[in-house]
Amino acid sequence: ETGVTQTPRHLVMGMTNKKSLKCEQHLGHNAMYWYKQSAKKPLELMFVYNFKEQTENNSVPSRFSPECPNSSHLFLHLHTLQPEDSALYLCASSRASGTEQFFGPGTRLTVL
Amino acid sequence: GQNIDQPTEMTATEGAIVQINCTYQTSGFNGLFWYQQHAGEAPTFLSYNVLDGLEEKGRFSSFLSRSKGYSYLLLKELQMKDSASYLCAVRDHAPDAGNMLTFGGGTRLMVKP
């Protein structure tokens, strides 16, 4: 398998649930990213990991908790989300100092 | 703060040429990117400009003027499959801590027969 993969592709959860999104890249990159894409809003950067270290937390609420156990895997742990958190969550990876980011297919999250 | 503006929607005819503009006001500048995103799919990289001028890649070209805070994406010989959203993004500092991009809202291009 090549590129950037994300699971699950679709997720429906209640506000009291705890779930995790998973991202895996097979490109040998050292930087990984979480983005949120809501309807009619720009793509928003949430978190950046560079060589497994978090280098950016873009004022994201604590109900979103990222984890990067190694350079190939990235998780986004979700708990007590709100309906306005419903969006497409995209993972991306790149070489640490590269130009191009490669995006995964995204997880479509619906919070009821 | 960061501000990136691009038109919300554009319509063009198959075979024609279309130019999608992007203006930006950012605290720093270390490159401008264009991505294509088809409905329901992930964004894919199209082009990168860091110096002033035109970068050509097949039917797609991207231009940058740093003094004007302005870029455009030029699509030639439009095809129906070019119907997609085109995202302009700016990297505002050196990528030593990762490529942190700020995206515009995207321009939805509809190509008609």
Side-chain angles (χ1 to χ4, degrees):
Chain A
E1 195 169 10
T2 59
V4 182
T5 58
Q6 291 185 242
T7 55
R9 295 293 308 276
H10 299 272
L11 178 62
V12 179
M13 59 187 288
M15 289 190 284
T16 57
N17 292 158
K18 287 185 180 181
K19 297 286 184 182
S20 295
L21 310 185
K22 179 182 176 182
C23 175
E24 186 173 356
Q25 59 94 2
H26 306 271
L27 300 168
H29 291 160
N30 288 309
M32 296 187 77
Y33 313 79
W34 279 117
Y35 286 90
K36 176 183 179 182
Q37 189 170 38
S38 306
K40 300 186 179 181
K41 292 178 77 174
L43 199 59
E44 300 172 65
L45 180 64
M46 299 174 72
F47 300 105
V48 180
Y49 277 83
N50 199 36
F51 292 96
K52 300 188 297 178
E53 298 295 321
Q54 187 180 126
T55 55
E56 182 76 7
N57 174 343
N58 207 16
S59 304
V60 180
S62 59
R63 58 185 183 270
F64 295 90
S65 174
E67 178 190 359
C68 189
N70 55 61
S71 293
S72 299
H73 294 86
L74 186 64
F75 295 89
L76 188 62
H77 304 298
L78 317 170
H79 63 99
T80 59
L81 293 192
Q82 305 297 312
E84 60 264 28
D85 297 322
S86 298
L88 180 68
Y89 289 85
L90 290 162
C91 172
S93 72
S94 74
R95 287 182 287 124
S97 58
T99 55
E100 181 177 355
Q101 289 187 21
F102 292 79
F103 284 83
T107 295
R108 174 68 63 186
L109 174 67
T110 303
V111 182
L112 302 177
Chain B
Q2 317 286 65
N3 192 35
I4 300 174
D5 289 318
Q6 48 182 133
T8 306
E9 286 189 351
M10 297 183 72
T11 302
T13 305
E14 191 176 15
I17 299 173
V18 71
Q19 177 174 313
I20 302 174
N21 296 325
C22 172
T23 58
Y24 62 90
Q25 294 170 308
T26 55
S27 53
F29 182 82
N30 199 268
L32 187 140
F33 300 75
W34 284 96
Y35 281 81
Q36 180 191 61
Q37 186 177 24
H38 286 99
E41 298 183 13
T44 55
F45 171 81
L46 287 178
S47 69
Y48 166 67
N49 295 70
V50 68
L51 299 175
D52 290 351
L54 189 68
E55 294 283 340
E56 297 186 79
K57 190 186 291 186
R59 292 189 299 115
F60 293 6
S61 303
S62 57
F63 172 83
L64 175 67
S65 169
R66 288 172 296 170
S67 62
K68 295 181 180 178
Y70 167 69
S71 173
Y72 66 73
L73 181 69
L74 194 71
L75 292 75
K76 302 176 185 176
E77 301 170 16
L78 279 173
Q79 302 175 9
M80 298 299 290
K81 68 178 182 179
D82 297 329
S83 294
S85 287
Y86 291 86
L87 313 178
C88 174
V90 172
R91 181 171 63 193
D92 64 358
H93 57 266
D96 52 340
N99 279 311
M100 283 174 274
L101 303 181
T102 301
F103 281 83
T107 298
R108 185 176 164 218
L109 174 66
M110 288 171 281
V111 179
K112 297 186 175 181

